[in-house]
Amino acid sequence: MDNIPWFAWIAIVGIIAGVTSSIVAAALRSREKQAEFAGAADLRGLVEQSTASNQAVLDRLALLELRLDSIERTLTDIP
């Protein structure tokens, strides 16, 4: 270690810092992707709930349409 000049140490430390920086960046990206996947599961549950409530509203609207059709037929049948 005594034979390595001082300017070579700058390059060695730079290389070590670069490798460390890339490892930390990769770990952070991995954690972000895991968080996105966890959020996607939550969103999937919300979409399923929304779909169920939308289907219930559509069913009620279909019943209302049937009732309105019968009222309209009754009113058109009156002379």
Side-chain angles (χ1 to χ4, degrees), residues 39-79:
D42 294 340
L43 287 176
R44 187 175 300 117
L46 289 174
V47 168
E48 288 173 358
Q49 277 182 332
S50 177
T51 302
S53 66
N54 287 343
Q55 187 60 42
V57 168
L58 287 175
D59 292 342
R60 287 294 291 170
L61 286 174
L63 289 174
L64 185 62
E65 182 70 26
L66 289 174
R67 288 175 58 195
L68 287 174
D69 284 341
S70 68
I71 292 171
E72 185 179 353
R73 269 188 260 121
T74 304
L75 290 175
T76 56
D77 289 345
I78 297 175

Side-chain angles (χ1 to χ4, degrees), residues 5-17:
W6 65 271
F7 54 86
W9 282 106
I10 295 173
I12 292 170
V13 169
I15 291 170
I16 292 171

